[in-house]
Amino acid sequence: MANTPTIAAGPGVAASAKPKRAPLVTMATLNCVGKNLAKNLIPPVVVLIAFLVIWEMLCSRPGAGLPPPSRVVTEAWDIIAHPFYDNGGTDKGLFWHIAASIQRVALGFALATVAGILTGTLIGQSEWAMRGLDPIFQVLRTIPPLAWLPLSLAAFRDGQPSAIFVIFITSIWPIIINTAVGIRNIPQDYRNVAAVLRLNPLEFFAKIMLPSAAPYIFTGLRIGVGLSWLAIVAAEMLIGGVGIGFFIWDAWNSSHISEIIVALVYVGVIGFILDRFVAFVGTLVTRGTATA
Amino acid sequence: MSYLSIENVGISFTRAGRTNEVLRDVSVKIDKGEFVSLIGHSGCGKSTVLNIVAGLLKASTGGVLLEGKEVNSPGPDRAVVFQNHSLLPWLTVRENVALAVDKVFKGKKSKAERNAWIDHNLSLVNMTHAADRRPSEISGGMKQRVGIARALAMEPKVLLLDEPFGALDALTRAHLQDSLMDIHARLKNAVIMITHDVDEAVLLSDRIVMMTNGPSATVGEILRVDLERPRRRLDLVEDATYTHARAEVLEFLYARHAKPAIAA
């Protein structure tokens, strides 16, 4: 192994590198870190700049439908610079809108997590439950999130619980399905261990099932949180009140296209952060499980 | 009355309307503190016998008696060391043993006593130094030791070993066999071990149960190994009793009950 680079680099390189090895190593490590950073950072920055330049050029000509990035910044500077202002009602900074949306997603998603894992466990564990519930779920999960909204408005008679219900119903399917697959894939060995120890069903659930299925469950959770973030914006456009979806709809009604664009950037970044957050919790929790 | 008695055990599996008899009329009686090996070609149902004793499989005919009582469900009085160790990868070595100890001795031992008992069993297999590591961070031999510690920690009446050293290299295997003899000498559990290694069977066992080939496998012959304990592998190399026992088993496996070429 140690020989390979020498051979590949040729005798000349190896000879010149030998005399001052010690300082070279630290320099090389620093260099390496810097190079890695550059390797990961330069391409997205270049692409982003190119994208902004093209956008600027396309939208600067007269009669363009959308504002160029320079005008987005000047027009929407108020909301970019003051995300925390609060004039009461729905006249709040972007931070508060985002916070309200995240709160809805958190609540709906948390409910979906609990209900989804329990239902998934049932389906994964019981052949009968799977046969009975699976066909229904396969149909229900194809219903677009917003199609549930009128129904939930009729049932709850209020925007807030309806939006939370839409999040719940959107994100629960991947959680159920992935949990069920995870439970069905618990190795027989672990079941045997549980049998020999005579773990009761509750202990089996907490000590064997959940940890063993955790990698699958977190895959489901990650898909679920992405879907709920997709659904919340649309749902909030319809129910109104404070929330990033309503903010976008309100900006559209007031023809503040620049504000919409700023809000979209926020939505994208928060969606990305949510996804990474669930993935991060997943790696913390499933530490060790994946590498059996 | 013997301590553990496997009586006329038979098992058949029915798949797609065809019944396949795996075991027929398997009877073995085992005394307290006795070390018994089951040996046979692969596919002869050795593991099935062990799983029936463990309670993980139900016999179609016959049954298993432990101290005169029938056993038909798994339990910690018949702890199993599985072939592939079956440690839970999300728990550390200590937590794996603790799971068993806390479950089996809850209410019988205090928290401090349980902790001491976990430590004791880890030291029995020389794993104290790696107690806080996860199974993915230790070697195959170490995993198998932890599996043994977990089983021993349940204070089983019968210890069931399913090819415990099958997946290990020869040196590690020899080392673990020595530890196992050592532990058996101290604890005097009844042990049933499945193996396909003739030397291992002769070195460790008081009796070797040789199984015929399936389908409808059964006990072909039982060989008593009259060797003094403690046994040391180096002394045995030239020992007449050892060599004789070894030859008997080899003769059974490769002359009288050779595996048909087709199935091999």
Side-chain angles (χ1 to χ4, degrees), chain B residues 232-253:
Chain B
R232 293 188 47 224
R233 69 178 65 240
L234 279 180
D235 301 342
L236 293 177
V237 177
E238 314 236 317
D239 186 285
T241 321
Y242 180 85
T243 330
H244 177 72
R246 197 170 172 278
E248 287 262 318
V249 179
L250 286 172
E251 215 256 337
F252 178 92
L253 287 177

Side-chain angles (χ1 to χ4, degrees), chain A residues 268-285:
Chain A
V269 170
I270 300 290
F272 175 78
I273 292 173
L274 283 179
D275 178 67
R276 284 305 149 102
F277 174 72
V278 174
F280 173 72
V281 174
T283 48
L284 274 193
V285 173

Side-chain angles (χ1 to χ4, degrees), chain B residues 57-257:
Chain B
L57 280 178
K58 278 208 180 359
S60 312
T61 59
V64 177
L65 298 175
L66 177 59
E67 290 184 312
K69 274 186 231 133
E70 185 177 9
V71 292
N72 44 22
S73 69
D77 54 346
R78 282 150 292 131
V80 189
V81 176
F82 298 95
Q83 181 174 10
N84 54 356
H85 66 76
S86 295
L87 298 178
L88 304 177
W90 54 87
L91 298 179
T92 64
V93 163
R94 192 169 202 290
E95 287 165 342
N96 264 289
V97 179
L99 178 70
V101 172
D102 288 340
K103 177 63 190 170
V104 176
F105 295 106
K106 194 159 215 162
K108 290 177 215 151
K109 289 181 195 246
S110 72
K111 184 84 196 144
E113 280 172 325
R114 292 202 299 258
N115 278 332
W117 180 240
I118 296 165
D119 291 334
H120 170 75
N121 280 282
L122 282 174
S123 69
L124 208 58
V125 296
N126 293 321
M127 282 301 295
T128 313
H129 65 285
D132 294 321
R133 289 208 239 159
R134 283 169 199 277
S136 57
E137 298 162 347
I138 59 179
S139 70
M142 288 161 102
K143 285 180 210 173
Q144 212 48 273
R145 282 167 201 267
V146 180
I148 293 171
R150 178 174 64 184
L152 289 173
M154 300 177 207
E155 281 195 327
K157 290 177 178 157
V158 186
L159 183 62
L160 304 171
L161 304 160
D162 187 0
E163 290 190 34
F165 312 134
L168 304 176
D169 66 89
L171 287 175
T172 312
R173 193 185 311 162
H175 191 64
L176 284 187
Q177 286 164 353
D178 292 342
S179 324
L180 183 59
M181 277 196 285
D182 208 40
I183 291 167
H184 180 243
R186 274 197 263 171
L187 303 182
K188 298 276 182 225
N189 297 78
V191 180
I192 302 179
M193 179 178 75
I194 288 181
T195 181
H196 51 234
D197 180 335
V198 177
D199 289 293
E200 179 170 278
V202 178
L203 177 67
L204 296 176
S205 320
D206 296 310
R207 279 188 300 151
I208 302 174
V209 176
M210 292 175 264
M211 306 234 347
T212 63
N213 288 321
S216 306
T218 188
V219 175
E221 214 173 290
I222 299 182
L223 178 77
R224 182 168 288 282
V225 184
D226 278 319
L227 284 168
E228 289 278 306
R229 288 183 189 271
R231 299 172 183 172
R232 293 188 47 224
R233 69 178 65 240
L234 279 180
D235 301 342
L236 293 177
V237 177
E238 314 236 317
D239 186 285
T241 321
Y242 180 85
T243 330
H244 177 72
R246 197 170 172 278
E248 287 262 318
V249 179
L250 286 172
E251 215 256 337
F252 178 92
L253 287 177
Y254 298 108
R256 275 177 289 154
H257 292 275

Side-chain angles (χ1 to χ4, degrees), chain A residues 188-193 195-200 203 206-213 285-292, chain B residues 51 54 56 73-80 82 84 86-90 99-101 103-104 134 136 143 150 154:
Chain A
Q188 187 58 41
D189 294 333
Y190 301 168
R191 294 182 185 274
N192 286 347
V193 170
V196 169
L197 286 175
R198 290 202 181 129
L199 296 183
N200 62 40
E203 289 168 326
K207 292 183 175 167
I208 309 279
M209 276 185 166
L210 277 189
S212 177
V285 173
T286 61
R287 188 171 34 122
T289 313
T291 53
Chain B
N51 280 332
L56 294 168
S73 69
D77 54 346
R78 282 150 292 131
V80 189
F82 298 95
N84 54 356
S86 295
L87 298 178
L88 304 177
W90 54 87
L99 178 70
V101 172
K103 177 63 190 170
V104 176
R134 283 169 199 277
S136 57
K143 285 180 210 173
R150 178 174 64 184
M154 300 177 207

